[in-house]
Amino acid sequence: ESIVANYTLQLGEKLDEGDVLKANLKVDHLVPYSFTCAVCGSDCVLKVPVPGLDLKWAFSTPECPIDTNLIVNSFREDLGKTSPTDGIPVHVEGGVHVVRGNGAVVAAFSVSVDLK
């Protein structure tokens, strides 16, 4: 199985080194989980805090800078033949912000993911 996400993005201003994604999420509505990753120029490695499971997910970010052009793209992650959560249902939801190096929030969106 795979996770597939299609997205269309129009930036009002370019993003560059020092700008980050900041997420404040909850795992199974109770366990707080947050991360910060560069929006461009490096890989982002996430480790989801589910007791007894070693859930890691890494993705590459685009090269810096990210221009203001319309971006239409898709993302696909193959999950393999076994569940990453060993069949245990896991729900992750919360907010993600794009934050400039000076602390200004330039974009915000919410996510909700169910794994099993």
Side-chain angles (χ1 to χ4, degrees):
E1 289 192 53
S2 317
I3 296 174
V4 178
N6 298 308
Y7 59 91
T8 301
L9 177 65
Q10 177 72 57
L11 299 173
E13 36 189 293
K14 76 176 184 173
L15 299 175
D16 212 338
E17 289 182 32
D19 299 336
V20 296
L21 287 175
K22 285 191 173 190
N24 290 304
L25 309 169
K26 293 265 184 175
V27 177
D28 288 337
H29 306 283
L30 297 172
V31 180
Y33 173 60
S34 59
F35 68 84
T36 300
C37 285
V39 296
C40 60
S42 66
D43 290 342
C44 182
V45 179
L46 308 179
K47 184 173 187 316
V48 181
V50 177
L53 298 175
D54 185 27
L55 293 178
K56 289 181 185 172
W57 180 53
F59 61 93
S60 297
T61 61
E63 305 238 347
C64 293
I66 301 174
D67 207 351
T68 59
N69 298 328
L70 181 67
I71 301 168
V72 178
N73 207 342
S74 64
F75 168 83
R76 178 187 182 103
E77 179 73 23
D78 291 324
L79 297 176
K81 295 185 182 201
T82 60
S83 166
T85 63
D86 255 356
I88 300 167
V90 176
H91 179 77
V92 179
E93 69 178 0
V96 180
H97 297 84
V98 178
V99 182
R100 289 254 181 237
N102 66 9
V105 175
V106 295
F109 56 95
S110 60
V111 297
S112 179
V113 178
D114 289 299
L115 303 168
K116 56 182 175 173

